[in-house]
Amino acid sequence: MNLTEEVRLYGLIGDPVAGSRSPWIHNTVFNELGLKAAYLAFHVEPTRLGASIAGFRAIGMGGFNITIPHKQTVIGHLDGLDPFAEKLGAVNTVAVTPEGLIGYNTDGPGLVSVLRRQIGPIEDKKVLILGAGGAARGIAGSLMYNGVKEVGICNRTWTKADALIRDLEIFGKAHIVDREDFKNYDLVINTTSVGMYPFEDATPVDVKYLKPDAYVCDIVYKPRRTRLIREAEATGHKVVFGIDMLIEQAVLAEQIWFSLSDEQVDRARTLLQTELMKALQPTEGEKK
Ligand code: NAP
């Protein structure tokens, strides 16, 4: 990358940020598309969030991402919010505009965009979400915001599922679902970390409990083909990979920061598919 004076800075703030794939993902796309931009990760503790945002304004950052634990607290430092981020009360992407700093959320919308492209309309789907953590919240909120027929939630810790359902009331009514009722759902999304490397032998649900023609999506992306995805494919379910959500939430952020053409968006997606597939292979050390 040629770091001339024309290059604008983009970045991620979080605590921690070590291990984040965002710098690699965004710099890979910036290079491919010839954008005059560079992306860095900034470790910002909660007490320094306001000062960091003030600094970002002062130096004219191009835009930035926000991760845990700042997704909610950053809102008080922004000048405006997109309607979905406002309703969810969480921001992961900030655009620097003539009107000031505007917050967006691309986590759930990233998966919704993937689902629309891969399985078609979602408005007629009853969706079962396994898990009730941070990812479940953004995904359930975005699905409800986009008008899915029903959202059911099943989580190991019942009280967390109950708390999530109360949190989601602003979007509508979600329900707690027991295993006997899994067969009522057209799309099942695993948002738990079960099956994630290095616990690849684990699965959050036996596919025999699912509707035979349900779509099965696992947002775990390492390994790409989790045990849940393998078993779903073996029993004839159509599947959606977590890696596509990872790519799409980054591409949506770039669409917010730059006016990318459809051709540029397709190039970014294709490149990230290839490069992430290589990057997510277990290293020699991990194989041992
Ligand atoms: P989180 O807030 O910590 O939530 C973790 C969820 O997993 C909780 O519902 C937890 O249940 C459940 N869980 C953990 N271990 C379990 C076990 N042994 N048995 C049953 N349930 C278990 O994490 P998160 O941020 O939501 O992330 C969850 C997963 O999504 C991670 O694997 C992450 O890598 C992945 N993710 C992928 C993307 C993507 O772009 N593809 C984006 C975000 C996250 P309890 O409430 O009972 O503890």
PDB file of all heavy atoms in Angstrom, residues 29 31-34 261-273:
ATOM      1  N   VAL A  29      -9.654  -5.462   1.043  1.00  0.00           N
ATOM      2  CA  VAL A  29     -10.607  -4.886   0.083  1.00  0.00           C
ATOM      3  C   VAL A  29     -10.084  -3.535  -0.443  1.00  0.00           C
ATOM      4  O   VAL A  29     -10.164  -3.254  -1.651  1.00  0.00           O
ATOM      5  CB  VAL A  29     -12.002  -4.734   0.720  1.00  0.00           C
ATOM      6  CG1 VAL A  29     -12.961  -4.016  -0.219  1.00  0.00           C
ATOM      7  CG2 VAL A  29     -12.561  -6.106   1.078  1.00  0.00           C
ATOM      8  N   ASN A  31      -7.122  -2.559  -0.902  1.00  0.00           N
ATOM      9  CA  ASN A  31      -6.084  -2.834  -1.902  1.00  0.00           C
ATOM     10  C   ASN A  31      -6.689  -3.275  -3.219  1.00  0.00           C
ATOM     11  O   ASN A  31      -6.330  -2.783  -4.283  1.00  0.00           O
ATOM     12  CB  ASN A  31      -5.162  -3.952  -1.415  1.00  0.00           C
ATOM     13  CG  ASN A  31      -3.936  -3.400  -0.759  1.00  0.00           C
ATOM     14  OD1 ASN A  31      -3.544  -2.270  -1.027  1.00  0.00           O
ATOM     15  ND2 ASN A  31      -3.327  -4.197   0.103  1.00  0.00           N
ATOM     16  N   GLU A  32      -7.614  -4.245  -3.125  1.00  0.00           N
ATOM     17  CA  GLU A  32      -8.232  -4.816  -4.326  1.00  0.00           C
ATOM     18  C   GLU A  32      -8.952  -3.743  -5.140  1.00  0.00           C
ATOM     19  O   GLU A  32      -8.888  -3.725  -6.364  1.00  0.00           O
ATOM     20  CB  GLU A  32      -9.218  -5.930  -3.912  1.00  0.00           C
ATOM     21  CG  GLU A  32     -10.159  -6.411  -4.998  1.00  0.00           C
ATOM     22  CD  GLU A  32      -9.484  -7.309  -6.034  1.00  0.00           C
ATOM     23  OE1 GLU A  32      -8.312  -7.681  -5.818  1.00  0.00           O
ATOM     24  OE2 GLU A  32     -10.146  -7.613  -7.048  1.00  0.00           O
ATOM     25  N   LEU A  33      -9.654  -2.837  -4.415  1.00  0.00           N
ATOM     26  CA  LEU A  33     -10.462  -1.844  -5.118  1.00  0.00           C
ATOM     27  C   LEU A  33      -9.684  -0.554  -5.402  1.00  0.00           C
ATOM     28  O   LEU A  33     -10.217   0.391  -5.985  1.00  0.00           O
ATOM     29  CB  LEU A  33     -11.734  -1.508  -4.312  1.00  0.00           C
ATOM     30  CG  LEU A  33     -12.673  -2.688  -4.017  1.00  0.00           C
ATOM     31  CD1 LEU A  33     -13.905  -2.212  -3.265  1.00  0.00           C
ATOM     32  CD2 LEU A  33     -13.088  -3.419  -5.296  1.00  0.00           C
ATOM     33  N   GLY A  34      -8.421  -0.512  -4.979  1.00  0.00           N
ATOM     34  CA  GLY A  34      -7.588   0.670  -5.234  1.00  0.00           C
ATOM     35  C   GLY A  34      -8.089   1.898  -4.478  1.00  0.00           C
ATOM     36  O   GLY A  34      -7.942   3.029  -4.952  1.00  0.00           O
ATOM     37  N   SER A 261     -19.678   0.738  -6.383  1.00  0.00           N
ATOM     38  CA  SER A 261     -20.579   0.265  -7.438  1.00  0.00           C
ATOM     39  C   SER A 261     -20.925  -1.208  -7.158  1.00  0.00           C
ATOM     40  O   SER A 261     -20.239  -1.881  -6.376  1.00  0.00           O
ATOM     41  CB  SER A 261     -19.893   0.373  -8.801  1.00  0.00           C
ATOM     42  OG  SER A 261     -18.793  -0.515  -8.825  1.00  0.00           O
ATOM     43  N   ASP A 262     -21.969  -1.719  -7.829  1.00  0.00           N
ATOM     44  CA  ASP A 262     -22.325  -3.137  -7.654  1.00  0.00           C
ATOM     45  C   ASP A 262     -21.157  -4.031  -8.041  1.00  0.00           C
ATOM     46  O   ASP A 262     -20.904  -5.063  -7.406  1.00  0.00           O
ATOM     47  CB  ASP A 262     -23.542  -3.499  -8.534  1.00  0.00           C
ATOM     48  CG  ASP A 262     -24.801  -2.834  -8.006  1.00  0.00           C
ATOM     49  OD1 ASP A 262     -24.767  -2.288  -6.887  1.00  0.00           O
ATOM     50  OD2 ASP A 262     -25.815  -2.853  -8.739  1.00  0.00           O
ATOM     51  N   GLU A 263     -20.432  -3.614  -9.076  1.00  0.00           N
ATOM     52  CA  GLU A 263     -19.291  -4.423  -9.537  1.00  0.00           C
ATOM     53  C   GLU A 263     -18.200  -4.465  -8.453  1.00  0.00           C
ATOM     54  O   GLU A 263     -17.608  -5.513  -8.191  1.00  0.00           O
ATOM     55  CB  GLU A 263     -18.768  -3.812 -10.862  1.00  0.00           C
ATOM     56  CG  GLU A 263     -17.617  -4.532 -11.518  1.00  0.00           C
ATOM     57  CD  GLU A 263     -16.245  -4.010 -11.091  1.00  0.00           C
ATOM     58  OE1 GLU A 263     -16.128  -2.829 -10.707  1.00  0.00           O
ATOM     59  OE2 GLU A 263     -15.289  -4.803 -11.143  1.00  0.00           O
ATOM     60  N   GLN A 264     -17.968  -3.326  -7.792  1.00  0.00           N
ATOM     61  CA  GLN A 264     -16.954  -3.299  -6.711  1.00  0.00           C
ATOM     62  C   GLN A 264     -17.401  -4.175  -5.529  1.00  0.00           C
ATOM     63  O   GLN A 264     -16.586  -4.870  -4.924  1.00  0.00           O
ATOM     64  CB  GLN A 264     -16.734  -1.855  -6.237  1.00  0.00           C
ATOM     65  CG  GLN A 264     -15.910  -1.026  -7.207  1.00  0.00           C
ATOM     66  CD  GLN A 264     -15.784   0.411  -6.712  1.00  0.00           C
ATOM     67  OE1 GLN A 264     -16.771   1.046  -6.373  1.00  0.00           O
ATOM     68  NE2 GLN A 264     -14.566   0.913  -6.675  1.00  0.00           N
ATOM     69  N   VAL A 265     -18.693  -4.133  -5.218  1.00  0.00           N
ATOM     70  CA  VAL A 265     -19.208  -4.943  -4.107  1.00  0.00           C
ATOM     71  C   VAL A 265     -19.012  -6.425  -4.423  1.00  0.00           C
ATOM     72  O   VAL A 265     -18.539  -7.202  -3.581  1.00  0.00           O
ATOM     73  CB  VAL A 265     -20.702  -4.614  -3.841  1.00  0.00           C
ATOM     74  CG1 VAL A 265     -21.341  -5.621  -2.903  1.00  0.00           C
ATOM     75  CG2 VAL A 265     -20.830  -3.198  -3.283  1.00  0.00           C
ATOM     76  N   ASP A 266     -19.322  -6.820  -5.665  1.00  0.00           N
ATOM     77  CA  ASP A 266     -19.148  -8.225  -6.060  1.00  0.00           C
ATOM     78  C   ASP A 266     -17.679  -8.638  -5.986  1.00  0.00           C
ATOM     79  O   ASP A 266     -17.355  -9.730  -5.527  1.00  0.00           O
ATOM     80  CB  ASP A 266     -19.653  -8.451  -7.496  1.00  0.00           C
ATOM     81  CG  ASP A 266     -21.170  -8.515  -7.525  1.00  0.00           C
ATOM     82  OD1 ASP A 266     -21.767  -8.672  -6.435  1.00  0.00           O
ATOM     83  OD2 ASP A 266     -21.749  -8.384  -8.617  1.00  0.00           O
ATOM     84  N   ARG A 267     -16.790  -7.727  -6.444  1.00  0.00           N
ATOM     85  CA  ARG A 267     -15.350  -8.044  -6.383  1.00  0.00           C
ATOM     86  C   ARG A 267     -14.903  -8.213  -4.936  1.00  0.00           C
ATOM     87  O   ARG A 267     -14.123  -9.119  -4.615  1.00  0.00           O
ATOM     88  CB  ARG A 267     -14.549  -6.915  -7.036  1.00  0.00           C
ATOM     89  CG  ARG A 267     -14.075  -7.291  -8.433  1.00  0.00           C
ATOM     90  CD  ARG A 267     -13.582  -6.097  -9.174  1.00  0.00           C
ATOM     91  NE  ARG A 267     -12.344  -5.541  -8.660  1.00  0.00           N
ATOM     92  CZ  ARG A 267     -11.948  -4.279  -8.866  1.00  0.00           C
ATOM     93  NH1 ARG A 267     -12.690  -3.466  -9.562  1.00  0.00           N
ATOM     94  NH2 ARG A 267     -10.799  -3.857  -8.402  1.00  0.00           N
ATOM     95  N   ALA A 268     -15.373  -7.320  -4.063  1.00  0.00           N
ATOM     96  CA  ALA A 268     -14.981  -7.408  -2.642  1.00  0.00           C
ATOM     97  C   ALA A 268     -15.449  -8.736  -2.049  1.00  0.00           C
ATOM     98  O   ALA A 268     -14.682  -9.438  -1.380  1.00  0.00           O
ATOM     99  CB  ALA A 268     -15.576  -6.234  -1.867  1.00  0.00           C
ATOM    100  N   ARG A 269     -16.709  -9.112  -2.330  1.00  0.00           N
ATOM    101  CA  ARG A 269     -17.246 -10.372  -1.776  1.00  0.00           C
ATOM    102  C   ARG A 269     -16.448 -11.574  -2.282  1.00  0.00           C
ATOM    103  O   ARG A 269     -16.078 -12.456  -1.508  1.00  0.00           O
ATOM    104  CB  ARG A 269     -18.699 -10.569  -2.222  1.00  0.00           C
ATOM    105  CG  ARG A 269     -19.692  -9.770  -1.447  1.00  0.00           C
ATOM    106  CD  ARG A 269     -21.089 -10.301  -1.763  1.00  0.00           C
ATOM    107  NE  ARG A 269     -22.111  -9.382  -1.312  1.00  0.00           N
ATOM    108  CZ  ARG A 269     -22.969  -8.751  -2.104  1.00  0.00           C
ATOM    109  NH1 ARG A 269     -22.960  -8.943  -3.410  1.00  0.00           N
ATOM    110  NH2 ARG A 269     -23.861  -7.939  -1.590  1.00  0.00           N
ATOM    111  N   THR A 270     -16.188 -11.598  -3.584  1.00  0.00           N
ATOM    112  CA  THR A 270     -15.502 -12.751  -4.177  1.00  0.00           C
ATOM    113  C   THR A 270     -14.091 -12.889  -3.610  1.00  0.00           C
ATOM    114  O   THR A 270     -13.644 -13.973  -3.235  1.00  0.00           O
ATOM    115  CB  THR A 270     -15.441 -12.592  -5.713  1.00  0.00           C
ATOM    116  OG1 THR A 270     -16.761 -12.326  -6.163  1.00  0.00           O
ATOM    117  CG2 THR A 270     -14.892 -13.820  -6.402  1.00  0.00           C
ATOM    118  N   LEU A 271     -13.391 -11.750  -3.524  1.00  0.00           N
ATOM    119  CA  LEU A 271     -12.025 -11.782  -3.009  1.00  0.00           C
ATOM    120  C   LEU A 271     -12.008 -12.265  -1.557  1.00  0.00           C
ATOM    121  O   LEU A 271     -11.201 -13.118  -1.176  1.00  0.00           O
ATOM    122  CB  LEU A 271     -11.416 -10.374  -3.088  1.00  0.00           C
ATOM    123  CG  LEU A 271     -10.029 -10.264  -2.478  1.00  0.00           C
ATOM    124  CD1 LEU A 271      -8.985 -10.809  -3.451  1.00  0.00           C
ATOM    125  CD2 LEU A 271      -9.697  -8.837  -2.109  1.00  0.00           C
ATOM    126  N   LEU A 272     -12.927 -11.733  -0.749  1.00  0.00           N
ATOM    127  CA  LEU A 272     -12.932 -12.112   0.670  1.00  0.00           C
ATOM    128  C   LEU A 272     -13.275 -13.583   0.853  1.00  0.00           C
ATOM    129  O   LEU A 272     -12.731 -14.246   1.733  1.00  0.00           O
ATOM    130  CB  LEU A 272     -13.883 -11.213   1.468  1.00  0.00           C
ATOM    131  CG  LEU A 272     -13.384  -9.782   1.680  1.00  0.00           C
ATOM    132  CD1 LEU A 272     -14.438  -8.925   2.362  1.00  0.00           C
ATOM    133  CD2 LEU A 272     -12.088  -9.758   2.504  1.00  0.00           C
ATOM    134  N   GLN A 273     -14.167 -14.107   0.003  1.00  0.00           N
ATOM    135  CA  GLN A 273     -14.480 -15.550   0.058  1.00  0.00           C
ATOM    136  C   GLN A 273     -13.198 -16.355  -0.087  1.00  0.00           C
ATOM    137  O   GLN A 273     -12.901 -17.240   0.712  1.00  0.00           O
ATOM    138  CB  GLN A 273     -15.412 -15.938  -1.102  1.00  0.00           C
ATOM    139  CG  GLN A 273     -16.876 -15.735  -0.840  1.00  0.00           C
ATOM    140  CD  GLN A 273     -17.435 -16.798   0.095  1.00  0.00           C
ATOM    141  OE1 GLN A 273     -16.761 -17.769   0.414  1.00  0.00           O
ATOM    142  NE2 GLN A 273     -18.643 -16.581   0.569  1.00  0.00           N
TER     143      GLN A 273
END
